[in-house]
Amino acid sequence: MAAKRTKRDFPVHEIRRFLEPGPVVLVSSAWRGQTNIMTMGWHTVLEFSPSLVGCLISSGNHSHEMIRRSRACVINVPTVDLAAKVVGIGNCSGATVDKFDKFKLTAMAADAVRAPLIAECHANLECRLVDGGLRKQYDFFIFEVVKAHALAAPKYPKTIHYRGDGMFMVAGRSLNLRRGFRPEML
Amino acid sequence: MAAKRTKRDFPVHEIRRFLEPGPVVLVSSAWRGQTNIMTMGWHTVLEFSPSLVGCLISSGNHSHEMIRRSRACVINVPTVDLAAKVVGIGNCSGATVDKFDKFKLTAMAADAVRAPLIAECHANLECRLVDGGLRKQYDFFIFEVVKAHALAAPKYPKTIHYRGDGMFMVAGRSLNLRRGFRPEML
């Protein structure tokens, strides 16, 4: 089981590998003794180094205030085996539910932030809020990934990608087009 | 051939269907009689209505200045049959290459903006720059999708998703998890 396998430290400036393909992620947070998890599909890499990620976290989400106050979160990358939990997490509120408990997920201590890692996910990106200037207008948070962990295998995890209307796309085959790149563009 | 098929108007508030799964897109632009295309992987939906999209367009890209000045672009969603062209477009510069000509792509007039559509792509999202406030600091542009066009079929196009290092993921199977959603969350 993924939860039992050991993760390796992963270089923070290479986390595009996990986020750029566009998977739905689980964002975990903690504030004043409470933890929470939310499902998030609206995110983008913004910079390699520092490793910046922009995330839309609606003020309607219980996590919004927890992340605003704690200035931290963990972006966890789930695979298709967790799909039903990902949907369940996105369809209830941390205001009334302890999601780690309800969805039988394992909270692990992070190295650099106070938010918990979700052990069952393929990768865990520990994030610090570095720019909240667009939060009020757009609910947009800019985080720096300060520490990353990932399973060594599979190299290309079967992530899930949301299309809206309850429909997901499961990550398909890999396509190596390296020979079409200039070396400095890789 | 896709280029010859007729596209339908697509509701702008539903364009998450195309962008949220995270495909690499082609961004087309025009300024002072010149057109250009760039390959872009760093983007996120920001809002349903108005239909907002945030995009990272590095100042190192020839398109950056064209889009800043014209305040418009088209986000075109290519499928796997165009993968080699997507890579080629990302590995040369509009400063020295006419990309529509070099890659034998068909520029079509947009309805609402001056930037050209790429006929061969599955969907075309006509965008107006609505907030350039994060451009200087992050190369981040916030666009409103003001008009959208898409092929009626296939419903779930085989988009390509970049992992870095020359490796792509091709959109895989669909997973219907609608029954796990509360109706208002669909």
Side-chain angles (χ1 to χ4, degrees):
Chain A
M1 227 181 97
K4 308 286 183 183
R5 288 162 57 199
T6 308
K7 284 177 186 147
R8 299 184 186 175
D9 288 352
F10 189 87
V12 294
H13 63 279
E14 292 180 14
I15 57 92
R16 78 175 320 179
R17 183 196 294 183
F18 302 116
L19 294 188
E20 188 167 337
V24 166
V25 296
L26 296 174
V27 178
S28 46
S29 55
W31 178 244
R32 293 196 174 163
Q34 191 194 32
T35 62
N36 197 22
I37 313 174
M38 68 171 279
T39 299
M40 180 176 75
W42 292 3
H43 57 78
T44 180
V45 181
L46 291 173
E47 182 58 276
F48 291 111
S49 186
S51 177
L52 300 183
V53 177
C55 301
L56 203 299
I57 299 174
S58 168
S59 58
N61 287 110
H62 190 64
S63 298
H64 181 104
E65 276 297 295
M66 294 175 66
I67 294 169
R68 180 179 79 78
R69 289 172 186 275
S70 64
R71 300 185 66 83
C73 71
V74 178
I75 298 175
N76 306 273
V77 182
T79 41
V80 65
D81 51 302
L82 295 173
K85 295 189 183 197
V86 168
V87 172
I89 288 165
N91 280 274
C92 64
S93 171
T96 53
V97 173
D98 177 333
K99 298 199 191 182
F100 276 98
D101 182 58
K102 179 178 171 78
F103 296 100
K104 299 186 170 37
L105 293 169
T106 311
M108 286 178 62
D111 291 341
V113 300
R114 290 205 171 176
L117 312 178
I118 302 175
E120 289 79 0
C121 288
H122 178 86
N124 313 101
L125 315 179
E126 302 186 19
C127 295
R128 281 201 195 116
L129 180 61
V130 290
D131 191 340
L134 264 76
R135 187 186 59 79
K136 279 193 183 171
Q137 191 176 356
Y138 294 109
D139 289 337
F140 194 67
F141 293 72
I142 298 180
F143 297 108
E144 179 178 351
V145 180
V146 291
K147 177 88 186 177
H149 316 261
L151 290 173
K155 188 167 182 187
Y156 301 122
K158 288 222 165 291
T159 48
I160 57 174
H161 302 247
Y162 193 49
R163 300 187 189 276
D165 202 30
M167 296 297 298
F168 292 79
M169 175 272 280
V170 182
R173 69 187 171 92
S174 292
L175 191 60
N176 182 343
L177 296 175
R178 216 170 275 155
R179 63 183 175 178
F181 282 70
R182 287 186 285 137
E184 70 273 22
M185 298 299 283
L186 281 171
Chain B
M1 226 178 100
K4 309 285 183 183
R5 288 161 57 199
T6 307
K7 284 175 187 150
R8 299 182 185 176
D9 288 353
F10 189 87
V12 294
H13 62 280
E14 293 180 14
I15 57 93
R16 78 175 321 178
R17 184 195 295 182
F18 302 116
L19 295 189
E20 187 166 336
V24 166
V25 297
L26 296 173
V27 178
S28 46
S29 55
W31 178 246
R32 292 197 174 163
Q34 192 194 29
T35 62
N36 197 22
I37 312 174
M38 68 171 279
T39 297
M40 182 177 74
W42 292 3
H43 56 78
T44 181
V45 180
L46 292 173
E47 182 57 276
F48 291 111
S49 186
S51 176
L52 300 183
V53 178
C55 300
L56 203 300
I57 300 173
S58 166
S59 58
N61 286 110
H62 190 65
S63 298
H64 181 105
E65 276 296 296
M66 295 176 66
I67 293 169
R68 180 179 79 77
R69 290 171 184 275
S70 65
R71 300 186 65 83
C73 71
V74 178
I75 297 175
N76 306 274
V77 182
T79 41
V80 64
D81 51 302
L82 295 174
K85 294 188 185 198
V86 168
V87 172
I89 288 165
N91 280 274
C92 64
S93 170
T96 53
V97 173
D98 177 332
K99 298 199 192 181
F100 276 98
D101 183 57
K102 180 178 171 78
F103 295 100
K104 297 186 173 37
L105 292 169
T106 310
M108 286 177 62
D111 291 342
V113 300
R114 289 205 172 175
L117 312 178
I118 302 175
E120 287 80 1
C121 289
H122 179 86
N124 313 101
L125 314 179
E126 301 185 19
C127 295
R128 280 201 195 115
L129 180 61
V130 291
D131 191 340
L134 264 76
R135 187 186 60 79
K136 279 192 185 172
Q137 191 176 354
Y138 294 109
D139 288 338
F140 193 66
F141 292 72
I142 297 179
F143 296 108
E144 179 178 351
V145 180
V146 291
K147 176 87 186 177
H149 317 261
L151 290 173
K155 187 167 183 187
Y156 301 122
K158 288 223 165 292
T159 48
I160 56 175
H161 302 246
Y162 193 49
R163 300 189 191 273
D165 202 30
M167 295 297 296
F168 292 80
M169 176 271 280
V170 182
R173 70 186 169 93
S174 292
L175 191 59
N176 182 343
L177 296 175
R178 216 171 275 154
R179 64 183 177 181
F181 283 70
R182 287 186 285 138
E184 71 272 22
M185 299 297 285
L186 281 170

